[in-house]
C-alpha cells in the first residue's frame, strides 16, 4: 500500500518524512523518485491520449469514405438518367452542342 501511496502521492509524507529526518541524504533520492514517477505517469497518459486521438482520426476518415461511397451509389443512377436525357442522338456521348441545346431548353 505504501507504493501506491507513493505513486499517487497520497499521504506520502508519513512514509518519507521520518526517513529523511533520520538520514537527510535520502531527500535527494525521494525528490528524484517523485519527479521521475510523476513525469513517467504524465508521459504514459499523454501517449494514451495521443494514440486515442490518432485512432479516432483514422476512424473518422474511414466513415467519411463510407458515406462518400454511399452518396455516389445514390447519385449514379440520377446522373446516368440526366445524361441519357441530354444525349439527343443516343450515341452514349455528349457533345457540346447537346449540352448547350439542353441548357437553352430544347
Amino acid at each position: 500500500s505504501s507504493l501506491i501511496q507513493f505513486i499517487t502521492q497520497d499521504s506520502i509524507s508519513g512514509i518519507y518524512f521520518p526517513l529523511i529526518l533520520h538520514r537527510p541524504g535520502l531527500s535527494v533520492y525521494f525528490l528524484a523518485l517523485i519527479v521521475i514517477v510523476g513525469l513517467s505517469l504524465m508521459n504514459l497518459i499523454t501517449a494514451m491520449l495521443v494514440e486515442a486521438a490518432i485512432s479516432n482520426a483514422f476512424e473518422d476518415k474511414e466513415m467519411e469514405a463510407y458515406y462518400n461511397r454511399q452518396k455516389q451509389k445514390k447519385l449514379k443512377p440520377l446522373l446516368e438518367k440526366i445524361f441519357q436525357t441530354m444525349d439527343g442522338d443516343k450515341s452514349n456521348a455528349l457533345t457540346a452542342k447537346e449540352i448547350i441545346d439542353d441548357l437553352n431548353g430544347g
Side-chain angles (χ1 to χ4, degrees), residues 1 6 11-12 21 33 35 38 41 51 59 74 81 86-88:
S1 101
F6 190 83
S11 302
I12 57 175
L21 287 178
L33 192 60
V35 169
L41 289 175
E51 181 185 355
E59 288 175 11
K74 288 180 181 178
K81 184 176 179 182
M86 292 173 68
D87 187 16

Side-chain angles (χ1 to χ4, degrees), residues 82-100:
I82 290 170
F83 282 107
Q84 287 171 357
T85 303
M86 292 173 68
D87 187 16
D89 61 0
K90 306 297 181 205
S91 64
N92 289 331
L94 282 179
T95 63
K97 183 181 182 317
E98 288 173 325
I99 294 171
I100 294 170

